[in-house]
Amino acid sequence: MPTDQYLERLMQEYGDSIFRMCYLYLKDYHLAEDAVQETFIKAMKSYDSFAHKSSEKTWLIRIAINTCKNIMRNRWFQIIQNNLEDHIEKIGDNPIEEMLEKTSVSEAIMRLNANDRQIILLYYYQNLSVREIAKIIGKSENATIQRLNRARIRLKGNLVEVGYE
């Protein structure tokens, strides 16, 4: 199958899911779009070396997370992020952004630190198993379970703060 057909298939199967994860990770619609585009570019450049030791979805999510982390390391991102948190209650004119910002659960997830947010997104939004998450984050399954449990406790606290019973 030619490279462009691989890319099209990957984008069709995983594009929306990767976008949602990047959006919740980065808290910015346009940065998430950039991250998704970069994820698929990186995936296509390295598809021939993909060893199929994990599923394509797991492999793509790992690329997407690394891409999001690279964006977050950027000084410009940190400045924008500080401004966003000052105005977190302000909703943009993007329909996807509005939908996600209006929900208490999304707000609570966005308040989590990056590691907690990552594991919650992988488990609940990407429906990955603990084993798959452990491969993505490079931890043992037991460490992943502990991390997930701690993230759930923090998320529950955040949900109570935003009025979720």
Side-chain angles (χ1 to χ4, degrees), residues 10-121:
L10 290 175
M11 290 173 65
Q12 287 292 325
E13 285 184 41
Y14 307 112
D16 290 341
S17 158
I18 297 290
F19 174 79
R20 279 192 305 274
M21 190 201 63
C22 289
Y23 176 79
L24 289 169
Y25 209 88
L26 296 168
K27 304 178 189 178
D28 182 274
Y29 181 83
H30 299 292
L31 285 176
E33 284 182 326
D34 293 345
V36 170
Q37 184 176 16
E38 178 127 355
T39 295
F40 284 110
I41 289 170
K42 288 177 181 177
M44 287 321 307
K45 286 181 179 177
S46 62
Y47 193 80
D48 291 336
S49 64
F50 174 47
H52 297 281
K53 292 181 181 177
S54 64
S55 70
E56 285 179 332
K57 183 177 183 179
T58 303
W59 176 66
L60 283 170
I61 287 172
R62 180 142 182 104
I63 294 171
I65 287 172
N66 289 335
T67 300
C68 289
K69 285 181 178 179
N70 288 340
I71 290 170
M72 292 171 73
R73 280 188 203 107
N74 186 328
R75 182 168 164 72
W76 174 84
F77 175 81
Q78 292 170 357
I79 292 168
I80 295 299
Q81 193 64 24
N82 289 337
N83 289 338
L84 176 66
E85 288 181 10
D86 289 342
H87 306 296
I88 194 92
E89 68 281 347
K90 193 172 186 177
I91 296 173
D93 58 348
N94 183 295
I96 293 174
E97 216 169 43
E98 268 185 66
M99 177 193 70
L100 291 171
E101 288 288 335
K102 284 182 181 177
T103 67
S104 298
V105 175
S106 293
E107 272 184 47
I109 291 170
M110 289 176 144
R111 290 172 144 197
L112 293 171
N113 67 45
N115 288 332
D116 289 346
R117 188 169 54 243
Q118 174 187 36
I119 202 156
I120 292 291
L121 293 175

Side-chain angles (χ1 to χ4, degrees), residues 105-143:
V105 175
S106 293
E107 272 184 47
I109 291 170
M110 289 176 144
R111 290 172 144 197
L112 293 171
N113 67 45
N115 288 332
D116 289 346
R117 188 169 54 243
Q118 174 187 36
I119 202 156
I120 292 291
L121 293 175
L122 292 174
Y123 189 77
Y124 291 106
Y125 283 78
Q126 297 299 328
N127 296 317
L128 296 178
S129 69
V130 170
R131 175 175 280 156
E132 291 172 310
I133 295 169
K135 285 181 185 177
I136 289 171
I137 65 174
K139 302 285 183 195
S140 71
E141 286 183 46
N142 286 339

